[in-house]
């Protein structure tokens, strides 16, 4: 938190910088997001109604970045422009996330780039034994890198020395989860392969927005 406070004395973000959130849909009326500069892109997942984990995850992650400092959640970069690009929806039982295919991810990344994204955050991934991506996904991510667009992706929560796409790709900033002592959480896929192009970030009891208007912590 001290590092964030030091950052905020320098900047709360710049509206010329566009951050795309590839996640679930969000509740834009949450008190922490009122006044934020967010624009939602219509995707295949946008057409799927969500009142479950997809909405919860998307709203929580969005508030961590864009939570306005006069509200209940102080976001990392509340003055940046945000693109909400839903890639997750609820399964039929409403208790878990429906999968996003690598080709659906290609479409979402392309939409984000077309709308001017400078940074693309993907809080998800697909397990792969080889670490190889679908050729179209590998191509769009390499093209993003060549254009100076930063893609950030989670390493996964399987607690194994295993690889997830897209975080396994070397041009992606891979992010593992650490505890308050700076050590990888036991479930975080923080393997040697990630350490050449990744970082650990706080992942334990993170406070964020809940779609019902309250706050909740998630690990």
């Amino acid at each position: 938190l001290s590092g964030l406070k030091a950052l905020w004395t320098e900047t709360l973000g710049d509206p010329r910088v566009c951050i795309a959130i590839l996640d679930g849909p969000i509740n834009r009326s949450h008190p922490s997001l009122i006044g934020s500069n967010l624009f939602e892109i219509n995707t295949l997942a946008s057409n799927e109604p969500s009142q479950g984990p997809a909405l919860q995850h998307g709203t929580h992650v969005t508030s961590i970045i864009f939570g306005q400092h006069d509200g209940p959640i102080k976001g990392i970069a509340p003055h940046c422009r945000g693109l909400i690009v839903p890639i997750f929806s609820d399964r039929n039982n409403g208790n878990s996330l429906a999968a996003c295919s690598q080709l659906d991810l290609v479409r979402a990344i392309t939409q984000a780039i077309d709308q001017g994204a400078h940074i693309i955050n993907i809080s998800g991934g697909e397990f792969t034994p080889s670490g190889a991506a679908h050729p179209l996904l590998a191509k769009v991510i390499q093209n993003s890198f060549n254009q100076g667009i930063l893609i950030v992706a989670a390493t996964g929560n399987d607690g194994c020395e295993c690889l997830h796409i897209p975080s396994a790709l070397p041009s992606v900033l891979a992010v593992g989860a650490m505890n308050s002592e700076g050590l990888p959480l036991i479930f975080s896929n923080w393997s040697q392969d990630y350490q050449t192009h990744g970082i650990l970030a706080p992942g334990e009891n993170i406070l964020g927005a809940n779609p019902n208007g309250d706050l909740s912590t998630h690990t």
Side-chain angles (χ1 to χ4, degrees):
L1 184 58
S2 60
L4 276 178
K5 289 180 176 178
L7 171 67
W8 291 333
T9 63
E10 300 292 332
T11 180
L12 293 177
D14 189 314
R16 293 172 295 181
V17 176
C18 180
I19 305 172
I21 308 297
L22 276 57
D23 208 290
I26 69 167
N27 177 8
R28 294 184 58 177
S29 64
H30 191 279
S32 68
L33 297 176
I34 293 175
S36 57
N37 184 13
L38 301 178
F39 175 75
E40 187 163 345
I41 296 176
N42 189 52
T43 66
L44 295 175
S46 301
N47 300 321
E48 297 292 332
S50 173
Q51 295 297 323
L55 183 67
Q56 293 169 12
H57 199 278
T59 302
H60 193 271
V61 169
T62 300
S63 72
I64 292 170
I65 298 176
F66 295 106
Q68 299 298 293
H69 283 208
D70 56 357
I73 299 293
K74 288 181 168 58
I76 295 169
H79 291 179
C80 286
R81 180 166 71 94
L83 287 176
I84 307 303
V85 189
I87 59 171
F88 297 133
S89 57
D90 296 336
R91 292 191 187 276
N92 292 335
N93 61 15
N95 295 322
S96 59
L97 294 176
C100 168
S101 72
Q102 291 192 35
L103 290 179
D104 286 343
L105 186 58
V106 169
R107 295 185 188 97
I109 292 172
T110 302
Q111 286 179 287
I113 293 172
D114 289 345
Q115 293 294 326
H118 301 102
I119 301 169
I120 299 174
N121 184 80
I122 306 168
S123 297
E126 181 178 58
F127 169 75
T128 170
S130 66
H134 188 285
L136 288 178
L137 181 59
K139 181 178 180 179
V140 76
I141 287 178
Q142 186 59 47
N143 288 343
S144 302
F145 179 78
N146 294 341
Q147 295 176 60
I149 298 167
L150 175 64
I151 295 181
V152 184
T155 61
N157 301 329
D158 307 290
C160 59
E161 296 276 322
C162 48
L163 297 175
H164 271 227
I165 293 297
S167 61
L169 300 177
S171 60
V172 172
L173 177 60
V175 182
M178 69 180 181
N179 62 20
S180 57
E181 284 75 46
L183 300 174
L185 290 168
I186 191 169
F187 59 78
S188 185
N189 302 345
W190 187 242
S191 66
Q192 190 68 35
D193 295 285
Y194 287 121
Q195 294 172 29
T196 57
H197 64 106
I199 59 171
L200 284 171
E204 192 171 45
N205 297 322
I206 303 300
L207 186 66
N210 193 303
N212 64 13
D214 294 333
L215 307 179
S216 59
T217 58
H218 291 282
T219 295

